Structure formats: C-alpha cells, structure tokens
Amino acid sequence: MKYQNGRVAAILLATTIAGQAMAQEQTVTVVLSEELDVVEPCMASRSNIGRVVLQNIAETVTEIVPGSGLQPRLATSWEDMGGGTWRFTLREGVTFHDGSSFTAEDVAHSIARTTGDQIVCEIGAKFFGGIAITTDIVDEHTIDITADPAQPILPLLMSTMTVVPAETPMDSFVETPVGTGPYTFDEYNVGQNITLSHYENYWGDMPEVLSATYLFRSDSAVRSAMVATGEADIAPNIAVQDATDPATDYAYPNSETVYLRVDHEIAPLNDVRVREALNLAVDRQAFVGTVLADGTLLATGMTPPSTLGYNAELEPYGYDPDRARELLQEAAADGVAVDSSITLIGRTGNFGNVLETMEALLQMFQDVGFNMELKMFEVAEWENSYSRPFAEDRGPTLVAAQHDNANGDPVFSMYFKYASDGLQSGIQDPQLDDMIAAATAATGEEREQLWSDTFAYIHDEIVGDVMLFHMVGFSRVNPRLAFEPTIKTNSELQLAQISFN
Amino acid sequence: MTTNSDHIPAQPSATEDVPTSPAKQVLRMLWRDKLAFFAAVFLILVILCAIFGPMLFEEEATRQDLRGRNAPPFDFSRNWLFWLGGDTLGRPLLARIIVAAQNTMMVAAGAVAASLAIGTTLGLIAGYSGPRTSQVIMRLADVIMSFPSLLLAVIVLYMLAPSVGNLIIVLAITRIPVYLRTSRAEVLEVRERMFVQAAQVMGASTRRIVFRHILPIVAPTLITIATLDFAFVMLAESSLSFLGIGIQPPEITWGLMVSQGRPYLTSAWWLSFFPGLVIILTTLSLNLLSNWMRTALDPVQRWRLEIARKKHG
Amino acid sequence: MKSFLGKRAIASAISLIGLIVLVFFLSRLTGDPTALYLPVDASLESREQFRELHGLNDPLIVQFGTYVSDLVRFDFGDSIRRSEPALDAVLRAFAWTLQLALITMSLVIVTAVIVGSLAAFHVGGVFDRITTFFSLVGASAPDFWIAIVAIVLFSVNLGWVPTSGTGTLWHWILPVAVLFIRPFGLILQVVRGSMISVLGSAYVKTARAKGVRNRPIIFVHGLRNAMLPVITVIGDQAAALLNGAVVVETIFGFPGVGKLMIDSILQRDFSVVLAAIFVTAVAIFVMNILIDILYAVLDPRIRY
C-alpha cells in the first residue's frame, strides 16, 4: 500500500482548522490495572507493556488476526527456503518515528537485540529460548531468517518480534521507544500517565483515534467508576463483579487457562487412578456463572479452542464423586497411600475469585476422601513451587496455575508444561516427550493432528493434570467508542482498531 | 497529667446504702453508665463466641453452596444463621463471624497484649534509666518504626515456618514503638515531680516508684491507644495473611472476611460490612469500657458513677 | 542543646547504618528475584543471563561490598524493575507521600486537639458522646471501605469530585479525607483522655477556685501539660503516613512510597526497598528528634 501524502495532509489541515475541540474528541483515555515498568518494545509480550506498545508504537513482522490467522504486518510475504531458513519480503515505504527508513537491517538488529545476551528481553526469553536465530540480509527489503533447530512455525514466531531501528542500543532498554507504528511515544510521567499521539507518516490507514492517554489504577472498582463517570474511555480489564452494565461491559475469552499441575513424582499422585479421582471429584460446571463468569469454558487442554491443534473431541471429566471414591478404594487396596496429606497450592491475586475457587476445590476434594490442605502464596513463593527446581522434601503437591497462550500454536506451552525437562512439568513420560518433539517439527495438517493426539494422550490416557477452565475477561468501554474486545485484548490494545460512534 | 497525691478522696454522698460486696459495687457502677454496661455485655458475647464458636458452628460455617453464593441478608425465611446473608461460597455469614471470633481474638489480643507489655516495659526503662541505656532503647524504637511490616512478614515467612504465632510476633513488633515512646514520655515528665523525688528521698526502690507511682499515671493513655490498636491489628492482619504467613484458608478472621469482601463492595456489600461492623462494635465496646474503668478506678472521678440520681427535687 | 543534638545525630546515624545492614542481609534471605522478572516459560539460559546482569550470582559479602562502595556516593543502585536509579524512583514517590502526610497531619492535629479538648470539657455530655462515637467508628473502619464508598457516593453518583488521580485540588479531597479519619479518631481519643486527667488535677481546680473564669487560659494551661502523650501519638501516626498510605495510594492512584515499597518488596527489587527504607527512616528519625525537643519545650522540667 502506498503512502498517501494528500490524505494525511488533508486530515492534518482538518484537525487544525476544525479547532481543538475536534482534536479532543478524538482522544482516547485507557485505564490499565498496573503501571509499566519499562516502555521497551522487546518487553512487549508482558501484557501491560503490550497494551501500550504492541502495534501502537512498535509493530511486529507478522501478525495473528483473530479469525484470519497469520497476516502480513511489516513483512508482506514469506517463503520456506528449507533447512530452517525462511525468506521474508518486507514492506516498502515504511518509516520509523525518527524519520529513518525501515529496511532489512532494522529487522536483523531487532532480532539480534531481542535474542541476544546483553539485555534480557521478555520476548526473547519467552519465545526464543533454546533457538539460535541468525539473519542474512539479501537486499533492503528482503531478509533470510534461519532458526536452529528448524522451526516450521517461524513466521508465527515472527508475530511476536517487535521491530526497532538499527541504531537502538544493544545493551540497555530504551526510555523513548521508537517504532513504525501509527502512534509516537510522547511521554511517561511515572506513576501517572503515558501519552501517545498519532504519527503522520504512518504507512497504513490514518486511524480515527489521534491521541491516547494511559492511566493506572490497581482497583477494579475504581477503573469501572472512571469509565462510568467519563474520566476514562476504556478499562480493558475489570473484575466480573464490576461488569454490571450490559451497555458498556463486554465479556471476551481471554486465552487464559486455569489448571492444577500435578506432581507425578511423589505418591500417591503417581498412580493414574488417584489422578483420575482428582478429576472426577471436581464439579466444574458448578463454578460457571457462580464463582467464575458466565461464558467460562471447561478445559480439556492447555490451549484455548482458537488455537491450532485444539482437540474438540475431548470431553471434560464429569462430576462423579462416587466413582472417585471407588477409584481411591481400588488404589488403597493395592497399597497406594491415598490418605497421605496432599498440599494444594494457590497464588493470591492470580485471577478474579481465585481464593473462592481454591476453597471450593478443596472442599470437593475433601468430600471424596482426599486428605488435603490449602496454602495460598504470593508470587515469589508460588513460583518456587511451580517451576523447577522443586524442593526435595515437598510431599505430594497440586499447584494451581493460569497459563496464557494467544499465539496460535501449542508449541509455546507444551514443552514447558509437559516435557520431562520442562520447567513447569510434573510429568516424566518418554512417550509424551516423543509426541511433543514430533508435533513441534511437523507442518500443516500433520502438525494439527499430532498436537490433537498429544492433547488426547495427556487428557485421557495418562491423566496428566486436572484441567479446569478457559477463562473469560471483562472490559468496560464508553459508548462513545466503537470497540469490542477480542481474545487478543489480554495482551494488546490496538488504538487503530478503535473508532468513534 | 495528675490524678492522685494531692486530693481528698470523695465520699459517696448517697441516699442509698453502702453496698457490701465489691462485685455488686462494680456492677452498680457499671449500670450507672449504660453504654459501658452494654459494651461489657457485647464483649462477653464476643468472648463466648471465641471460646465456643468453632465448637458449635464449625460445620455450618464451612458448608459451601456454590449456587447459593452472595445470598442477600435480612431474608428471615431462612435459617437464622443466614440472616446476615451468605458469602461468596454460600456459607452463612453470621456463622462465619461467630467462628472467626476465635482466631481474631487470639491474634489481636495476643499482638496487642504483647506489644503493650513489651513496649511499656522498655519505655519505662528508657525513661527512668541512664542516658546510654535510654539512647539504645530509643534508637531501637526508631529502627522498628522505619522497618516496613510487610518486609518483616516476608522475612519471617522465609526464615520460619508459617504459623499464627509468627503472625502475632510480626504484628506485635510493629506496634511496640508507640507504647514505648508514650510511656517513656510520661516517665520523663513524671520523674521530676515532687512526689517522686519525695519517694526517692524516703528510700523507695526504683521498681516501687515505677510501678506504684508512675505506671498508674501512664496506664490510661496506654489503654486508650491499645483499644484502638485492636481494630488496627485486626485489619492489618489480613494484609499479612495473604502472603501465606499466618491464617491460611479455610481458617478465617474478621479482618480477612472484610478484605475478601473488598471486590464486592458495590455488589454484595454485606460481605465486608458485617464483619467490619463487628470490628467497629468491638473497638467501641473496648473503648467505652476502658473509659468507664478509668473513671471507676480514679478516686477523683469515681463519684460520677456512685451517686444515685435523686428522684425527688 | 548542642551536645544533645550532637549525641543524638551520631546515635541516629549509627542506627541508620544498622538498619541498612539489617535490611540488606535479611531481605536477600527471601530468595532469588529472577523468577519474578522473567515469564514462567523463560529458559534456564535467560535466567542465568539475568542473574549475571544484575550481580545476583556474586556471594553476599561481595554484593554488600559493592553496595556500600556505591552507597558512599549516594548511589543506591538501579531498580531491577525499572532500570533507573533506585533513589530517583524513591524520591519521586516520596514527594507525593510527603505532601499527603503533611496536609493530612496538619488537618488532624488542628481538628483533633480542638474537638478533643472540647469533648473533655464536658465529659459524658452530648458533644462528648457524639464525637467519641464518630471518632471511634472512623478509627476502626477499614480504610478501603471508606475510600470506595466515598468514590461511589461523591464521584459516581453525585459527581462532586473526580474518582481518582492527581492533578487539581479537587483530586486531593477524597484521598486526604480518607487518610484523615483514622489518625483523627485515635488522636482525638488521646487528647480527650489527657485533658480529662489534666482538668481534674489540683492546679486547675485551684485556678478555678481562685476565680479564673477565663476558659481559654485553663484550656491553654491544661493543654500544655496534656500534650506530651498526644504529640507522641501524633508522631507515631505521622510515621505511619510517611511509610506510605498504601490503600489510599492504590485506590486513588497517587504514586507514593507506600505502593512503591509494597511492590518492590513483593518483586524483590532490593535496591528500591533499601532506598525507600533509607529515605523514610531519615524522615522518621528527624521527626523523632523534633518531638523530643518539643517535649523539653512544653515541659521545662524534662531533662535528657
């Protein structure tokens, strides 16, 4: 798409002539739940940073669009050259906020910076761990990206890579982020607000929203009140009990999955009957519409239904406490120590109503005869229990966790959660390791099938964990805006997608 | 702030008989001040709940009913335990409040008593002893005042096992400075007074002077602070328990009920309101009772509680 | 006076150093912050890289040595969270806290002393009962209750004031009002108690017996002697405010030192924790020195 001078000039003229009042109306105020530690594009996979930076200030190479799959963004097309190399053709006529042109060199630099070892970037750590990425600049608008080991989903991985100018320092985070996006970063009054304004030389369509202010309030009731009084226009994340106004409040699947990670190494959890009993003891349906929001889905796998490889044929475990008791008795008869004290660990503030959920689960488990106690921890302590290395003397544990995967492919979750070496995995199953490796290397329909099979294996055959829910988030939007949250709202808020009523 | 030494004890100028037993005397004085009387009744009720509550109501208080969650209060058709409403898991609020009294009282009374005793003792020592001891104690108080309680709680959590005892320790430590500094300030003032100097001249030991003469002067202020500290501790405890340091679910205290009801202030107000109300009533009662005790124990003021109102002219 | 200040300054400096050493070592006992800054799915290499970058792999003594050598240049290190100097973050936050604390305590002192003394004047009377009731309710009610109810009532429903945030004078009304209530309740009760004792004392009775009708004189004389415990408690409450009013800051979005401290503690951002403790400790130590001087001013018999 060509950069259209005349159109932009006309709009500029219109906004200045039409007066400040018009410009005011095209401002959006967003109130977020916590403030940003850094405004750095390579940290944009963290949701509060992503909501400000992602696709607003800094754009990614490719983009996942809900409903359409992987789409061009800064790259217009890509092709598999084999041997782990993909050739990306880059968009022409794009400039950065500082005026410099966007070329392949910028992409190469961004990749090196994000995955390099001079700074620890969230994007690099989260998506590129264990992958060596090299780039080869073919010409100004063509670049070869090679991954070792070969990644069949490299273009999908590139949807996480934000692009910054080649002059960006390799060894420190930036204070003033510069990107190719439709908005420039104006300033960050730490603790108070961040302001963005539109970038006249943006390569794409001029957005309706011309400037934005981001505010920070920790309390959901206050965020909701602010939109109600008009002090803010969007609160992308409010609690279910504050979402009481159907005219302004939207529910959306937020790509989070809640489950109980089971530690298979310690008896009695190493017995598949005991794990099955755990699953049958939970009345999942009773949570929906009560403790958790209406629209919460019962989960059978780690990734939400919109993700590739989702196995729609799997049935969530039903509520069958009698069968659960039977299973426990069977196991006890075989000498399994079913009445050992099991610790159920939860994390305070993990999601809305987490404490009620944990207490209800505790009750359900105790009802079928488990000897269980509940411990609620803050983040640091919970992390110790959730990730390896695990404590030697820990006893049988179930750790409640919430996992977010809106990136289109299970590969981002499966290794960590299920492989024998996975940092959060409680399972040591060589067959499962093989299945994960096979699916990771496959492409196209075969990949989908292999992932589906893996989910079936985990859920039905080895009963790997207690899958619970795919969660729902809530947003409140001022009626003067036309904006509906999607599954991506958990991690980004594209101002360019907002229009006015 | 003087209350004794240069005064004449008031005579009960009454038209009634002088009561014989001290218990009856106390009850009569309590009855004079109606508010204090009801305060005492309420506190006895709370203590009874603390002792017998879990024994009697544990089962009802923990019975969950997910579909009956956030049941509104004042529905008199239901079991009396539900008259204050149901909580987020459908458990009856009144039963939970009764059962929670035990943990709440244990933590609050433990922390306040400990900080009061230790703080006052250290403050008396600081006020009465030599400059070096006094300087060390006071700087210690400064350090405690600057050490955030949350950090202390996290450290204790890591170094020691989580338990209610550790929670009480953390809360007690953070409240020591106010008692320490208040008692020390009083001692500084009082030790220069004539009667103290007279006692010293007469050969009274330091301990006697401190406990018999100084402490009774300091006590009323300290008690006032302590009664209000009760409320503060009850609420502060909840923000520490979320760390995993003390009260773990399904154990519960009033402070925890209040903070767990926070997200529902606009939709299910009773979740925070009734436990909060009980905290307020307990504080009010403690304070009214302590004010009454102050009047009753002070020979100068006592007449207010002893003289009967004459009915005729 | 000079020797008093001199000795006191030295003692305070020693305690400050002791506090820093204590906090430094104790806080590092609470585990490795790496896991808090990286996503759960970060690889082991990233975690190692992070630890190297932030010097977390060095033995504790070495870390302490580096810390002290930086400290003499007033360099408290960088915040792990923000990649900015810790002291900058703290001073910026402390400015807000200081403003809130000063405004609130000024209002509290003036109103609590006046109302408390008036209540003490007619013990048991209607005014006394009513003020006692309201002050006790205020002092024992949870502060977030009051804050959120106030926001819903005065901002959402009545529209008199903004919900939250900083900016104009109107933005300060609710936060200060909410912060005001507990110290007001406590100090009012202490003033009242103190005044009751003083007003019942011999020299006041003598003054009255001698025909001194002028209430203000009794008021002022009585007040002067009653103030010792009162200013002690005022100091205690002021210290609490200087440590930051977390709930008010959180709800109203005032970026003060309370929220900064809590977030830093939970995120194990050690440099910010230490810097914040240092700054608030200095403020509290100075305040306590002033209070001790005030004791001597109010009651000349006091010697140290």
Side-chain angles (χ1 to χ4, degrees):
Chain A
M1 192 187 311
K2 274 179 130 189
Y3 157 46
Q4 300 185 352
N5 252 322
R7 195 153 144 214
V8 173
I11 290 181
L12 273 179
L13 211 53
T15 47
T16 38
I17 288 179
Q20 289 310 306
M22 275 302 280
Q24 294 273 38
E25 285 185 17
Q26 290 178 285
T27 291
V28 164
T29 306
V30 181
V31 57
L32 303 174
S33 59
E34 47 177 16
E35 51 170 3
L36 276 58
D37 297 334
V38 284
V39 203
E40 159 62 59
C42 83
M43 299 291 281
S45 53
R46 221 184 257 184
S47 43
N48 60 340
I49 300 177
R51 286 205 191 99
V52 177
V53 171
L54 208 50
Q55 317 297 14
N56 290 327
I57 300 174
E59 296 177 295
T60 51
V61 176
T62 58
E63 181 186 3
I64 300 179
V65 177
S68 338
L70 197 61
Q71 299 292 320
R73 188 89 188 197
L74 284 177
T76 50
S77 63
W78 44 91
E79 105 183 69
D80 187 359
M81 311 292 282
T85 305
W86 288 73
R87 175 160 296 181
F88 289 82
T89 308
L90 303 174
R91 195 177 295 276
E92 303 188 21
V94 179
T95 52
F96 285 100
H97 302 149
D98 61 3
S100 60
S101 311
F102 164 68
T103 64
E105 205 193 325
D106 302 304
V107 176
H109 180 88
S110 302
I111 292 177
R113 179 172 184 266
T114 303
T115 58
D117 57 6
Q118 293 191 57
I119 45 176
V120 182
C121 285
E122 178 110 354
I123 293 178
K126 187 166 177 161
F127 298 111
F128 293 92
I131 304 175
I133 294 237
T134 48
T135 53
D136 189 22
I137 298 174
V138 175
D139 62 46
E140 265 209 1
H141 297 285
T142 318
I143 184 169
D144 281 351
I145 304 179
T146 309
D148 176 22
Q151 300 292 317
I153 48 149
L154 190 63
L156 188 63
L157 267 178
M158 285 299 131
S159 71
T160 64
M161 180 62 66
T162 47
V163 177
V164 293
E167 300 79 39
T168 314
M170 286 286 285
D171 59 357
S172 60
F173 290 145
V174 294
E175 287 191 25
T176 309
V178 173
T180 57
Y183 297 91
T184 57
F185 173 84
D186 286 349
E187 69 172 331
Y188 182 10
N189 291 316
V190 181
Q192 300 198 56
N193 57 25
I194 294 180
T195 46
L196 305 182
S197 47
H198 76 282
Y199 176 50
E200 307 101 64
N201 296 338
Y202 181 59
W203 59 267
D205 290 332
M206 193 40 84
E208 277 192 48
V209 175
L210 293 180
S211 63
T213 307
Y214 294 85
L215 305 174
F216 317 103
R217 301 283 183 269
S218 311
D219 200 291
S220 164
V222 177
R223 293 198 293 278
S224 315
M226 288 175 80
V227 178
T229 58
E231 282 175 37
D233 296 311
I234 303 180
N237 179 12
I238 59 175
V240 55
Q241 53 265 14
D242 292 317
T244 50
D245 183 351
T248 58
D249 301 336
Y250 297 86
Y252 61 96
N254 65 4
S255 73
E256 303 266 18
T257 304
V258 170
Y259 74 111
L260 300 181
R261 196 278 310 280
V262 178
D263 188 345
H264 289 227
E265 285 174 45
I266 303 188
L269 297 173
N270 54 1
D271 187 304
V272 68
R273 288 167 297 193
V274 173
R275 297 198 293 274
E276 205 186 327
L278 281 173
N279 272 287
L280 293 172
V282 179
D283 184 359
R284 292 168 177 75
Q285 199 56 50
F287 287 86
V288 178
T290 58
V291 175
L292 298 176
D294 259 322
T296 303
L297 299 174
L298 304 189
T300 54
M302 184 61 71
T303 51
S306 54
T307 309
L308 180 98
Y310 180 77
N311 190 333
E313 286 164 32
L314 293 176
E315 290 279 320
Y317 282 93
Y319 176 50
D320 195 348
D322 293 323
R323 176 77 187 128
R325 288 187 198 102
E326 260 179 50
L327 285 166
L328 284 180
Q329 275 161 5
E330 274 176 44
D334 279 348
V336 179
V338 294
D339 48 7
S340 346
S341 173
I342 303 177
T343 314
L344 177 61
I345 295 178
R347 189 190 128 189
T348 48
N350 203 2
F351 51 88
N353 298 343
V354 58
L355 182 60
E356 288 93 325
T357 308
M358 299 309 296
E359 288 197 60
L361 286 171
L362 180 70
Q363 183 86 298
M364 288 173 186
F365 289 135
Q366 285 172 337
D367 276 345
V368 302
F370 279 105
N371 176 5
M372 211 175 280
E373 62 165 357
L374 174 63
K375 287 203 161 102
M376 294 297 291
F377 289 143
E378 45 106 13
V379 185
E381 183 79 23
W382 170 87
E383 256 285 336
N384 281 341
S385 316
Y386 187 44
S387 295
R388 287 183 192 277
F390 300 136
E392 284 296 318
D393 55 351
R394 63 193 182 276
T397 48
L398 301 173
V399 178
Q402 186 175 229
H403 178 68
D404 172 13
N405 185 342
N407 300 100
D409 193 288
V411 71
F412 300 116
S413 322
M414 299 306 278
Y415 185 79
F416 288 100
K417 308 296 185 217
Y418 292 111
S420 303
D421 292 336
L423 279 175
Q424 287 92 38
S425 167
I427 301 176
Q428 321 265 300
D429 185 327
Q431 188 180 344
L432 184 53
D433 291 343
D434 289 338
M435 292 179 82
I436 293 177
T440 305
T443 55
E445 277 197 24
E446 195 201 348
R447 188 186 183 92
E448 246 191 274
Q449 188 56 50
L450 286 176
W451 281 130
S452 277
D453 292 341
T454 312
F455 284 122
Y457 180 70
I458 296 172
H459 188 258
D460 291 339
E461 284 208 41
I462 62 170
V463 194
D465 39 34
V466 181
M467 271 297 150
L468 291 172
F469 308 106
H470 295 304
M471 307 293 277
V472 166
F474 290 88
S475 298
R476 177 168 281 194
V477 180
N478 194 318
R480 82 181 181 102
L481 298 183
F483 172 72
E484 273 194 41
T486 64
I487 198 167
K488 288 251 158 186
T489 307
N490 206 31
S491 38
E492 67 179 35
L493 187 64
Q494 295 198 40
L495 296 168
Q497 293 173 348
I498 302 175
S499 51
F500 296 93
N501 279 330
Chain B
M1 194 164 95
T2 51
T3 52
N4 47 21
S5 83
D6 27 25
H7 61 272
I8 305 161
Q11 304 295 329
S13 61
T15 51
E16 56 199 43
D17 303 325
V18 176
T20 43
S21 85
K24 268 206 195 147
Q25 198 168 7
V26 167
L27 276 176
R28 199 176 288 241
M29 286 201 291
L30 196 52
W31 185 244
R32 289 268 174 271
D33 186 351
K34 296 291 189 297
L35 283 180
F37 182 78
F38 288 119
V41 168
F42 181 78
L43 285 174
I44 291 178
L45 196 59
V46 167
I47 294 176
L48 286 175
C49 286
I51 300 177
F52 298 112
M55 205 187 307
L56 296 174
F57 295 105
E58 182 81 45
E59 230 198 278
E60 283 88 333
T62 51
R63 188 176 307 136
Q64 294 174 10
D65 174 17
L66 285 188
R67 289 173 176 90
R69 71 191 297 257
N70 290 351
F74 310 134
D75 180 1
F76 296 111
S77 60
R78 297 187 74 173
N79 184 340
W80 68 278
L81 286 172
F82 280 93
W83 285 354
L84 292 184
D87 75 345
T88 52
L89 288 175
R91 298 173 288 202
L93 214 57
L94 183 52
R96 292 205 94 203
I97 289 178
I98 293 174
V99 167
Q102 187 174 81
N103 279 330
T104 312
M105 284 301 121
M106 226 167 46
V107 172
V112 172
S115 55
L116 180 60
I118 299 175
T120 309
T121 311
L122 285 176
L124 292 173
I125 296 175
Y128 212 72
S129 58
R132 192 162 287 176
T133 325
S134 156
Q135 185 81 268
V136 165
I137 296 181
M138 292 314 292
R139 299 294 73 77
L140 183 65
D142 283 353
V143 165
I144 297 177
M145 276 170 104
S146 318
F147 204 104
S149 61
L150 186 70
L151 184 58
L152 187 60
V154 169
I155 292 170
V156 167
L157 177 63
Y158 266 71
M159 293 193 349
L160 309 170
S163 78
V164 177
N166 290 334
L167 179 64
I168 296 179
I169 290 175
V170 172
L171 287 168
I173 291 179
T174 50
R175 297 310 295 158
I176 284 177
V178 69
Y179 301 107
L180 199 161
R181 293 179 57 83
T182 308
S183 53
R184 171 222 182 217
E186 291 284 1
V187 172
L188 285 179
E189 187 199 4
V190 170
R191 76 180 181 186
E192 307 302 330
R193 297 254 185 93
M194 288 292 286
F195 74 92
V196 172
Q197 311 215 344
Q200 273 175 326
V201 163
M202 283 199 286
S205 72
T206 309
R207 199 200 303 177
R208 185 183 166 85
I209 293 179
V210 163
F211 281 99
R212 251 203 115 234
H213 296 290
I214 300 185
L215 194 53
I217 298 177
V218 182
T221 310
L222 294 177
I223 303 281
T224 304
I225 299 175
T227 54
L228 280 164
D229 237 19
F230 229 81
F232 175 74
V233 165
M234 284 194 258
L235 295 169
E237 168 268 315
S238 63
S239 54
L240 295 183
S241 284
F242 95 92
L243 290 179
I245 187 181
I247 308 283
Q248 283 284 6
E251 297 275 322
I252 195 72
T253 63
W254 293 339
L256 271 176
M257 288 175 79
V258 171
S259 71
Q260 283 168 19
R262 172 171 168 168
Y264 298 93
L265 272 185
T266 49
S267 49
W269 55 269
W270 53 96
L271 295 178
S272 261
F273 181 75
F274 288 117
L277 185 63
V278 178
I279 291 179
I280 293 177
L281 287 177
T282 308
T283 310
L284 259 173
S285 306
L286 281 170
N287 202 280
L288 287 172
L289 202 57
S290 78
N291 282 344
W292 171 85
M293 256 197 326
R294 173 191 233 155
T295 314
L297 291 174
D298 180 358
V300 179
Q301 304 276 349
R302 199 186 192 123
W303 58 271
R304 297 179 196 271
L305 296 173
E306 286 175 343
I307 300 180
R309 303 263 155 93
K310 294 188 187 176
K311 282 191 183 164
H312 310 287
Chain C
M1 179 62 121
K2 263 200 202 137
S3 77
F4 165 75
L5 277 178
K7 281 193 210 143
R8 189 55 180 273
I10 295 176
S12 295
I14 297 178
S15 332
L16 203 56
I17 295 173
L19 179 62
I20 302 255
V21 172
L22 195 67
V23 174
F24 184 93
F25 284 103
L26 284 182
S27 58
R28 274 160 179 73
L29 285 177
T30 59
D32 178 11
T34 309
L36 295 166
Y37 290 96
L38 296 176
V40 268
D41 14 23
S43 56
L44 282 170
E45 306 123 27
S46 314
R47 289 166 200 257
E48 258 320 293
Q49 196 187 332
F50 185 87
R51 281 191 206 103
E52 278 302 317
L53 271 173
H54 293 277
L56 295 169
N57 274 338
D58 303 331
L60 216 50
I61 291 293
V62 171
Q63 289 188 46
F64 185 62
T66 328
Y67 188 76
V68 168
S69 58
D70 287 337
L71 202 54
V72 275
R73 288 175 288 125
F74 278 107
D75 173 8
F76 282 83
D78 285 346
S79 160
I80 300 181
R81 274 202 300 161
R82 283 204 192 290
S83 306
E84 68 166 345
L87 194 59
D88 292 355
V90 170
L91 288 176
R92 185 177 56 222
F94 194 69
W96 289 103
T97 298
L98 198 57
Q99 287 175 67
L100 270 178
L102 283 174
I103 296 177
T104 308
M105 282 319 281
S106 314
L107 284 172
V108 167
I109 293 173
V110 169
T111 44
V113 167
I114 294 178
V115 176
S117 312
L118 284 175
F121 233 76
H122 301 284
V123 182
V126 175
F127 183 75
D128 182 26
R129 294 283 192 200
I130 294 182
T131 51
T132 298
F133 177 76
F134 280 110
S135 67
L136 288 178
V137 170
S140 48
D143 33 11
F144 70 82
W145 248 30
I146 301 177
I148 293 186
V149 168
I151 290 179
V152 170
L153 183 59
F154 295 110
S155 183
V156 179
N157 290 347
L158 291 173
W160 289 351
V161 283
T163 58
S164 54
T166 60
T168 67
L169 199 60
W170 293 104
H171 287 94
W172 290 74
I173 294 182
L174 282 185
V176 169
V178 172
L179 264 185
F180 170 87
I181 293 179
R182 175 177 296 138
F184 173 73
L186 175 58
I187 292 172
L188 187 148
Q189 286 298 307
V190 175
V191 168
R192 174 187 176 272
S194 242
M195 280 300 276
I196 288 178
S197 302
V198 163
L199 289 175
S201 66
Y203 67 93
V204 171
K205 284 188 181 162
T206 314
R208 277 174 161 163
K210 281 205 258 177
V212 177
R213 284 263 175 246
N214 203 339
R215 252 178 216 188
I217 294 184
I218 299 177
F219 213 107
V220 169
H221 275 302
L223 202 55
R224 192 173 161 147
N225 286 296
M227 281 307 271
L228 242 57
V230 174
I231 55 178
T232 314
V233 177
I234 288 176
D236 172 68
Q237 291 295 298
L241 286 183
L242 285 174
N243 268 319
V246 182
V247 175
V248 164
E249 289 170 19
T250 307
I251 293 185
F252 291 102
F254 268 62
V257 91
K259 183 158 199 305
L260 181 65
M261 179 83 84
I262 296 230
D263 289 345
S264 304
I265 292 174
L266 292 178
Q267 296 258 336
R268 310 295 194 267
D269 196 352
F270 301 127
S271 8
V272 175
V273 172
L274 266 167
I277 291 182
F278 180 83
V279 170
T280 46
V282 168
I284 290 175
F285 285 21
V286 167
M287 182 186 71
N288 283 340
I289 294 178
L290 290 174
I291 290 182
D292 279 348
I293 295 178
L294 205 52
Y295 288 159
V297 164
L298 282 176
D299 188 343
R301 291 174 297 180
I302 289 182
R303 325 170 259 111
Y304 288 110

